[in-house]
């Protein structure tokens, strides 16, 4: 709890500053700027951001889902490449190449194209989350892609025992981004078992972001932006205690 108290103290000082100029350009500017204000150096390690606490910065209105962690299926090697090749759809700019940008749930089917749908299935016997593809006759045609409970639990418990969500506003003046950090909430993970139950209930989705390189020597090759486990911000209390 000492770490939370320290983080809240620093965040309250940041909130009092009002509008703050972004220190970077591109995706994730709000989070990068906030962590800089905390005095935290930039790094890409899969560990909590601040003294055992994972920090997420989310804007008002537009960002409804929070990405918790990335995990590709561990059932076979190169599964994302196979999924893109087998079930991908034409890229808008380069239709000769396939992309696969989809959010998949366990409580409903996602339409991939006119003939194929996809859905997650929690297999408690084999202890994994299975990605199932169905044909137009409602028959399972593919269930080779899966995430083991082991890999999910390792990633979840390593990084999300404690969570700090900061909400902010954004504006742009003369092409420069500014952020106003306004409030925050502290959370503690309930359990891995509860996390799996919420996947089964459809409250946690798996999102594929499999695009392509659109220039240079890698034109047309897969650009894997990540396969993430995401939760709607309104469902955070289903897997976390509010502190």
């Amino acid at each position: 709890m000492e770490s939370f108290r320290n983080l809240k103290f620093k965040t309250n000082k940041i909130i009092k500053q009002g509008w703050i100029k972004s220190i970077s350009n591109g995706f994730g500017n709000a989070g990068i700027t906030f962590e800089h204000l905390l005095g935290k150096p930039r790094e890409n390690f899969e560990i909590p951001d601040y003294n055992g606490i994972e920090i997420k910065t989310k804007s008002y209105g537009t960002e409804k889902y929070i990405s918790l962690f990335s995990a590709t299926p561990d059932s076979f090697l190169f599964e994302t490449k196979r999924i893109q090749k087998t079930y991908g759809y034409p890229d808008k700019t380069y239709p000769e190449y396939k992309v696969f940008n989809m959010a998949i749930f366990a409580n409903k089917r996602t339409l991939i194209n006119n003939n194929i749908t996809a859905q997650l299935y929690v297999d408690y016997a084999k202890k994994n989350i299975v990605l199932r593809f169905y044909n137009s006759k409602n028959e399972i045609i593919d269930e080779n892609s899966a995430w083991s409970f082991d890999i999910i639990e390792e990633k979840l418990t390593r990084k999300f025992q404690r969570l700090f969500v900061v909400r902010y506003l954004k504006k742009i003046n003369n092409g420069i981004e500014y952020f106003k950090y306004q409030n925050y909430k502290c959370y503690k993970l309930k359990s891995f078992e509860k996390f799996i139950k919420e996947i089964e209930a459809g409250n946690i989705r798996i999102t594929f972001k499999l695009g392509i390189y659109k220039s240079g020597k890698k034109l047309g090759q897969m650009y894997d932006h990540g396969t993430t486990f995401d939760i709607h911000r309104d469902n955070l209390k289903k897997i976390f205690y509010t502190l």
Side-chain angles (χ1 to χ4, degrees), residues 30-31 56-66 165-170 179-182 233:
K56 292 290 183 179
T57 52
K58 306 300 292 182
S59 69
Y60 284 97
T62 56
E63 297 180 275
K64 295 183 179 180
Y65 275 87
I66 294 175
V165 179
V166 183
R167 302 293 297 278
Y168 67 89
L169 294 173
K170 181 179 77 171
F179 304 110
K180 180 187 283 188
Y181 302 97
Q182 291 202 304
R233 64 191 183 203

Side-chain angles (χ1 to χ4, degrees), residues 70-217:
S70 296
T72 56
D74 59 336
S75 49
F76 296 97
L77 287 174
F78 310 117
E79 270 300 276
T80 52
K81 186 173 291 187
R82 184 186 73 85
I83 290 169
Q84 182 191 35
K85 181 179 179 181
T86 308
Y87 301 106
Y89 52 88
D91 178 75
K92 291 181 179 180
T93 308
Y94 296 96
E96 65 270 32
Y97 300 113
K98 292 182 178 180
V99 297
F100 191 85
N101 296 300
M102 290 284 173
I104 315 292
F105 299 81
N107 66 334
K108 61 183 178 181
R109 301 275 178 87
T110 297
L111 181 65
I112 306 301
N113 57 44
N114 292 331
N115 300 310
I116 297 175
T117 56
Q119 189 172 8
L120 302 175
Y121 170 69
V122 180
D123 189 334
Y124 288 100
K126 294 183 179 180
K127 295 185 178 180
N128 59 25
I129 308 295
V130 183
L131 174 59
R132 287 177 167 176
F133 291 95
Y134 297 81
N135 62 18
S136 58
K137 297 179 181 180
N138 204 35
E139 300 168 329
I140 297 173
I141 58 172
D142 188 338
E143 51 181 351
N144 293 313
S145 301
W147 296 258
S148 66
F149 280 13
D150 287 342
I151 192 173
I152 297 171
E153 183 174 18
E154 192 279 328
K155 286 180 173 287
L156 176 69
T157 56
R158 171 159 47 89
K159 198 166 186 181
F160 280 93
Q161 292 288 351
R162 293 184 292 173
L163 172 65
F164 189 75
V165 179
V166 183
R167 302 293 297 278
Y168 67 89
L169 294 173
K170 181 179 77 171
K171 69 179 181 180
I172 299 177
N173 285 342
N174 298 320
I176 300 174
E177 278 188 320
Y178 292 83
F179 304 110
K180 180 187 283 188
Y181 302 97
Q182 291 202 304
N183 59 58
Y184 54 82
K185 286 187 178 180
C186 305
Y187 299 92
K188 180 181 178 181
L189 182 68
K190 291 182 177 180
S191 68
F192 167 70
E193 291 74 20
K194 180 61 175 172
F195 185 82
I196 294 297
K197 287 292 185 182
E198 294 307 320
I199 292 177
E200 189 174 34
N203 293 321
I204 296 170
R205 70 185 190 185
I206 297 178
T207 304
F208 290 88
K209 296 180 279 288
L210 307 177
I212 59 168
Y213 287 93
K214 296 191 176 183
S215 62
K217 295 180 179 179

Side-chain angles (χ1 to χ4, degrees), residues 215-232:
S215 62
K217 295 180 179 179
K218 292 185 177 181
L219 175 65
Q221 294 182 29
M222 186 178 80
Y223 187 170
D224 189 346
H225 294 270
T227 301
T228 57
F229 284 66
D230 312 322
I231 187 168
H232 194 286

